[in-house]
Amino acid sequence: MDVVETSIPGLQEIKLDVFSDERGSFREAYQAAKLKDLGVPPLDIVQMNVSESQYGVIRGIHAEPWDKYIHITYGEVFAAIVDLRREAESFGQVATFTLGISNALFVPRGLGNSFAVTTERAVYSYLVTEHWRADNPYPAVAYDDPALAIPWPIDPEKRIVSEKDRTNPTLQDAYGTA
């Protein structure tokens, strides 16, 4: 494993060691002691979520109030992370990644997370440090906000986006600043 610091403070990309042969592959997607030694904050994991989606699905941009460790267990996604921490110098900054079986992301609370499935199917798995609650408001911004200029690799006519995500406010509307 190796950790790469990104342009957004606290957001870390983890490069995983993948061992492959004629049978398939093996990797340690999350190993607390190794990650801690590499500078990834320790996680008090309370829940594991799995999202399976088809090509063209775009989910997000969501900023849940928890730390998140993301790993794609099958397929590939284009991930776009947006800093939604008002107090941060990097507020509104976007970082993008291609995520597959050979890497993972540590996303601290306050960052908006989104992804687009770029293969026929993808299985997006993530560990979180707080339980989801239906009564808790979760900040979100528009995946297609022109001010963010995220270079989505899916043609607009092939995008599959939920009604909720299609109606998220722009960064300007949600936070009063761009």
Side-chain angles (χ1 to χ4, degrees):
M1 286 184 174
D2 191 27
V3 173
V4 178
E5 298 298 327
T6 70
S7 60
I8 297 176
L11 175 63
Q12 298 169 305
E13 182 179 12
I14 296 90
K15 303 287 187 173
L16 304 175
D17 296 321
V18 179
F19 304 95
S20 299
D21 63 21
E22 66 278 356
R23 300 169 296 166
S25 66
F26 173 84
R27 65 201 169 276
E28 286 181 341
Y30 179 85
Q31 213 275 25
K34 286 182 183 178
L35 289 167
K36 181 180 177 194
D37 289 346
L38 292 169
V40 175
L43 299 174
D44 183 14
I45 297 164
V46 300
Q47 188 170 319
M48 178 181 171
N49 299 318
V50 178
S51 169
E52 184 174 347
S53 304
Q54 66 186 13
Y55 175 82
V57 167
I58 296 177
R59 296 182 188 260
I61 301 167
H62 308 143
E64 299 92 356
W66 52 60
D67 295 330
K68 185 183 293 186
Y69 185 87
I70 301 167
H71 177 59
I72 307 309
T73 58
Y74 179 81
E76 278 191 355
V77 305
F78 170 86
I81 309 298
V82 181
D83 196 337
L84 298 177
R85 301 171 293 191
R86 281 185 200 261
E87 71 285 354
E89 286 185 28
S90 52
F91 176 77
Q93 186 175 332
V94 177
T96 62
F97 306 87
T98 298
L99 297 179
I101 67 166
S102 64
N103 60 346
L105 285 179
F106 169 73
V107 181
R109 70 188 71 225
L111 300 187
N113 175 62
S114 60
F115 68 92
V117 177
T118 57
T119 52
E120 183 179 341
R121 296 196 77 66
V123 179
Y124 182 98
S125 175
Y126 56 105
L127 306 170
V128 297
T129 58
E130 299 289 336
H131 292 285
W132 180 87
R133 293 189 351 245
D135 63 337
N136 196 15
Y138 296 100
V141 297
Y143 79 95
D144 57 353
D145 183 342
L148 297 175
I150 296 172
W152 294 107
I154 308 295
D155 291 333
E157 65 277 358
K158 293 184 180 177
R159 294 175 183 172
I160 304 167
V161 182
S162 73
E163 178 64 26
K164 180 179 175 281
D165 284 344
R166 280 195 308 269
T167 60
N168 286 335
T170 65
L171 187 66
Q172 173 68 37
D173 290 343
Y175 289 87
T177 183

